[in-house]
């Protein structure tokens, strides 16, 4: 999605986006940020801050908060969170020069979504360059495996309907809209909403190649009633995003 497409989402954000900041989502980001702030982290950057969902959590804990986004409408919406230590910057994650070596904790929550592996790799390098020696990166990334998990639950349900296995697979391809995915490149491709999704092994490799050390992955778990228009399977293991921690 380009700047204009994100601008269009800014006003009705929670209607349009499934967010790890929604009620009921088990998000390990808060506890980790709290620990890093207590451990002396002074400057935090929220890279792709959107309408500023994380800003009220960051501002009281860190001395300086850089709220970065390339969408003017998102930055405008974020202004409702009024704290004197927040500095807003209209920047693309593909060029973060003004922040090089100024940040102790860099956060990117579902903002590295460009449907291009090259652009993603370049953004990860830019994020790493914002960090001071010893700095930490905390990120949330859409999980490709989570989508596959949901696809298999659809298949199981179709099998239970008593149709032939071949028919169940065919039904699943259709319901799942498999034609919209590139499973190799990890891209979901729809008219104005193409975006990158990440395999855990891929994320691990890309972070290392971008110069991060010791990447660790955990899950941000979404209750089934929080996944919007998706097929829901209450009682089955939930869908998730990847929560990433890494050092420089
Ligand atoms: C899904 S929203 C997430 C917003 C916020 N992090 C949150 O979780 O509430 C993605 C945000 O990243 C921003 N974004 C996407 N690509 C970007 C880029 N290349 N440079 C800067 N911001 C970008 C969008 O404008 C949007 O505000």
């Amino acid at each position: 999605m380009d700047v204009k497409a994100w601008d269009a989402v800014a006003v009705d954000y929670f209607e349009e986006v499934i967010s790890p900041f929604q009620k009921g989502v088990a998000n390990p980001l808060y506890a980790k940020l709290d620990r890093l702030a207590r451990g002396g982290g002074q400057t935090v950057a929220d890279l792709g801050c959107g309408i500023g969902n994380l800003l009220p959590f960051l501002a009281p804990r860190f001395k300086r908060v850089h709220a970065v986004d390339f969408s003017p409408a998102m930055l405008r919406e974020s202004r409702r969170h009024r704290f004197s230590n927040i500095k807003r910057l209209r920047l693309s994650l593909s060029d973060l020069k003004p922040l090089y070596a100024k940040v102790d904790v860099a956060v990117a929550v579902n903002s590295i979504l460009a449907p291009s592996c090259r652009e993603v790799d370049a953004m990860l390098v830019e994020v790493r360059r914002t960090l001071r020696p010893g700095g930490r990166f905390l990120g949330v990334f859409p999980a490709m495996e989570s989508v596959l998990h949901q696809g298999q639950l659809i298949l199981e349900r179709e099998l239970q309907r008593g149709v032939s296995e071949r028919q169940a697979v065919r039904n699943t391809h259709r319901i799942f809209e498999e034609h919209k995915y590139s499973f190799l490149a990890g891209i979901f491709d729809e008219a104005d909403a193409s975006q990158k999704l990440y395999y855990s092994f891929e994320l691990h490799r890309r972070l290392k190649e971008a110069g991060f050390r010791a990447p660790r992955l955990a899950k941000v778990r979404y209750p089934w009633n929080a996944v919007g228009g998706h097929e829901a399977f209450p009682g089955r293991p939930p869908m998730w995003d990847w929560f990433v921690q890494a050092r420089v």
Side-chain angles (χ1 to χ4, degrees), residues 122-141:
M123 285 184 206
L124 290 175
V125 169
E126 284 300 288
V127 173
R128 196 249 303 147
R129 285 176 172 156
T130 67
L131 289 167
R132 295 193 175 112
R136 302 290 190 97
F137 173 49
L138 303 180
V140 176
F141 294 83

Side-chain angles (χ1 to χ4, degrees), residues 161-208:
R161 292 204 162 132
V163 295
S164 71
E165 191 148 349
R166 211 183 149 97
Q167 186 61 48
V169 171
R170 259 207 302 268
N171 293 351
T172 305
H173 285 310
R174 179 178 44 76
I175 297 164
F176 185 71
E177 300 189 298
E178 193 169 334
H179 61 282
K180 293 187 179 172
Y181 291 90
S182 163
F183 292 105
L184 261 185
I187 289 170
F188 174 75
D189 206 359
E190 204 173 44
D192 57 349
S194 299
Q195 73 156 67
K196 179 84 182 94
L197 297 125
Y198 297 84
Y199 295 100
S200 51
F201 65 88
E202 174 198 6
L203 202 41
H204 197 272
R205 173 178 64 76
R206 290 194 191 283
L207 287 163
K208 295 273 271 196

Side-chain angles (χ1 to χ4, degrees), residues 1-229:
M1 284 168 66
D2 61 12
V3 175
K4 275 205 175 123
W6 282 115
D7 275 347
V9 168
V11 178
D12 265 334
Y13 186 81
F14 283 102
E15 293 296 310
E16 306 273 345
V17 174
I18 298 166
S19 166
F21 299 123
Q22 272 163 241
K23 231 172 122 203
V25 178
N27 189 345
L29 177 65
Y30 297 113
K32 189 66 204 178
L33 277 169
D34 211 29
R35 274 202 298 280
L36 290 176
R38 280 173 215 263
Q42 301 251 302
T43 302
V44 66
D46 186 356
L47 302 171
C49 64
I51 61 171
N53 292 317
L54 193 55
L55 298 179
F57 188 84
L58 296 176
R61 288 175 173 77
F62 289 85
K63 197 165 169 195
R64 281 173 294 276
V65 181
H66 295 293
V68 174
D69 209 286
F70 69 177
S71 153
M74 289 287 184
L75 286 173
R76 210 162 36 241
E77 286 294 317
S78 82
R79 288 193 181 279
R80 77 179 96 158
H81 304 294
R82 293 173 191 275
F83 294 91
S84 57
N85 59 340
I86 298 179
K87 189 170 173 196
R88 290 175 176 79
L89 292 165
R90 189 180 164 204
L91 289 176
S92 168
L93 302 192
S94 47
D95 183 359
L96 293 171
K97 262 188 219 78
L99 290 179
Y100 280 4
K102 290 194 174 148
V103 173
D104 299 301
V105 181
V107 184
V109 178
N110 283 337
S111 53
I112 303 182
L113 301 173
S116 150
C117 296
R118 285 197 177 129
E119 281 182 47
V120 161
D121 287 343
M123 285 184 206
L124 290 175
V125 169
E126 284 300 288
V127 173
R128 196 249 303 147
R129 285 176 172 156
T130 67
L131 289 167
R132 295 193 175 112
R136 302 290 190 97
F137 173 49
L138 303 180
V140 176
F141 294 83
M144 192 78 238
E145 290 97 328
S146 173
V147 174
L148 295 173
H149 163 61
Q150 186 199 38
Q152 290 211 340
L153 293 176
I154 296 173
L155 176 58
E156 274 184 42
R157 185 195 61 201
E158 292 305 302
L159 284 168
Q160 279 161 15
R161 292 204 162 132
V163 295
S164 71
E165 191 148 349
R166 211 183 149 97
Q167 186 61 48
V169 171
R170 259 207 302 268
N171 293 351
T172 305
H173 285 310
R174 179 178 44 76
I175 297 164
F176 185 71
E177 300 189 298
E178 193 169 334
H179 61 282
K180 293 187 179 172
Y181 291 90
S182 163
F183 292 105
L184 261 185
I187 289 170
F188 174 75
D189 206 359
E190 204 173 44
D192 57 349
S194 299
Q195 73 156 67
K196 179 84 182 94
L197 297 125
Y198 297 84
Y199 295 100
S200 51
F201 65 88
E202 174 198 6
L203 202 41
H204 197 272
R205 173 178 64 76
R206 290 194 191 283
L207 287 163
K208 295 273 271 196
E209 287 173 3
F212 288 102
R213 293 191 298 121
R216 278 188 291 151
L217 269 63
K219 287 180 177 177
V220 177
R221 292 184 169 84
Y222 290 79
W224 283 107
N225 63 9
V227 297

